[in-house]
Amino acid sequence: AQKVTQAQTEISVVEKEDVTLDCVYETRDTTYYLFWYKQPPSGELVFLIRRNSFDEQNEISGRYSWNFQKSTSSFNFTITASQVVDSAVYFCALSVYTQGGSEKLVFGKGTKLTVNP
Amino acid sequence: GAGVSQSPSNKVTEKGKDVELRCDPISGHTALYWYRQRLGQGLEFLIYFQGNSAPDKSGLPSDRFSAERTGESVSTLTIQRTQQEDSAVYLCASSLRGLAGVKQYFGPGTRLTVT
């Protein structure tokens, strides 16, 4: 099966705390891509990062960082010094090939992050 | 530039009626995707269009669902004889090319409620 598991349904933190959102994936492909998207209350998905399966370097972008561990099939996302504006649902996604031969994204169920002032 | 737009933003319909949802992709994007997001769930792939190639319909849940796309522009998703289980947010995404790992840009979605 090709799937993405985000075990944390909801997380609540106080502003300035660090928070890590977990993502575990399963795939039979040797080449694949992993994504994180943010869905604020407005509903529109915002792209955060894409990672190729061959690139295991961790990445940092401002307060955001991602830890890709192929050995444990995990692609975790950490927000440092969280802010109220970070409150949203965060989705991890995996690219897979469909029966029709095209590519689609398989999404986890999302983690709802609430940052309280 | 303009992002992906969808209309209507909200649609309430009675069970058994047909509905049509519209997506305007980013200009120049040859790939277009439809996803469904049920309450509290992740997104489920429905259908994919790439240029003038035959669409990949492998994600459509039943024959009540269909979609069309005119060239590389507007797409419509039609649900016939709607059921309450069809209530969800329908999201459209487009990308520059339908290649592996290409970033998809999402629209705001259409929230469909079937009463």
Side-chain angles (χ1 to χ4, degrees):
Chain A
Q2 307 206 82
K3 67 176 185 178
V4 174
T5 302
Q6 293 180 256
Q8 304 149 309
T9 306
E10 293 193 42
I11 299 176
S12 183
V13 300
V14 177
E15 206 169 19
K16 297 184 183 176
E17 282 187 31
D18 298 348
V19 57
T20 295
L21 310 182
D22 298 333
C23 172
V24 174
Y25 62 93
E26 292 179 35
T27 182
R28 57 177 173 265
D29 296 334
T30 53
T31 301
Y32 52 88
Y33 292 81
L34 293 160
F35 298 78
W36 275 95
Y37 280 87
K38 174 182 179 179
Q39 188 175 43
S42 61
E44 194 160 340
L45 271 82
V46 177
F47 168 85
L48 296 178
I49 191 171
R50 173 185 63 203
R51 176 48 51 91
N52 181 306
S53 57
F54 290 113
D55 181 4
E56 289 196 65
Q57 280 194 337
N58 291 329
E59 182 157 340
I60 298 175
S61 175
R63 295 185 297 108
Y64 296 169
S65 62
W66 290 269
N67 184 352
F68 178 33
Q69 300 257 349
K70 231 172 161 177
S71 60
T72 55
S73 297
S74 65
F75 187 43
N76 296 337
F77 172 33
T78 297
I79 302 175
T80 302
S82 59
Q83 300 177 2
V84 173
V85 293
D86 296 327
S87 296
V89 180
Y90 291 86
F91 290 98
C92 181
L94 167 71
S95 64
V96 301
Y97 286 97
T98 70
Q99 293 176 351
S102 61
E103 186 191 63
K104 67 176 181 179
L105 293 179
V106 171
F107 285 80
K109 292 187 178 181
T111 297
K112 181 179 180 181
L113 173 66
T114 302
V115 181
N116 298 298
Chain B
V4 177
S5 61
Q6 293 185 245
S7 60
S9 54
N10 279 284
K11 177 71 177 178
V12 180
T13 190
E14 290 181 356
K15 179 181 173 181
K17 295 280 179 68
D18 297 352
V19 295
E20 194 172 275
L21 313 180
R22 177 187 168 109
C23 171
D24 283 89
I26 293 172
S27 178
H29 280 193
T30 60
L32 186 147
Y33 309 77
W34 282 98
Y35 292 87
R36 177 173 70 179
Q37 183 179 23
R38 288 185 162 135
L39 186 65
Q41 302 294 313
L43 282 70
E44 306 168 70
F45 166 79
L46 296 178
I47 189 169
Y48 160 77
F49 295 90
Q50 169 57 45
N52 294 316
S53 302
D56 180 343
K57 306 178 183 179
S58 59
L60 294 179
S62 78
D63 58 9
R64 296 186 296 104
F65 287 72
S66 63
E68 292 183 351
R69 187 182 186 194
T70 308
E72 295 183 353
S73 60
V74 173
S75 175
T76 54
L77 176 69
T78 301
I79 308 173
Q80 296 179 307
R81 306 181 302 283
T82 53
Q83 304 293 312
Q84 289 185 331
E85 69 211 36
D86 300 333
S87 296
V89 176
Y90 290 83
L91 289 151
C92 175
S94 69
S95 66
L96 192 56
R97 298 182 303 275
L99 299 178
V102 174
K103 175 180 163 184
Q104 296 180 23
Y105 295 79
F106 284 81
T110 292
R111 181 176 299 277
L112 174 65
T113 304
V114 182
T115 62

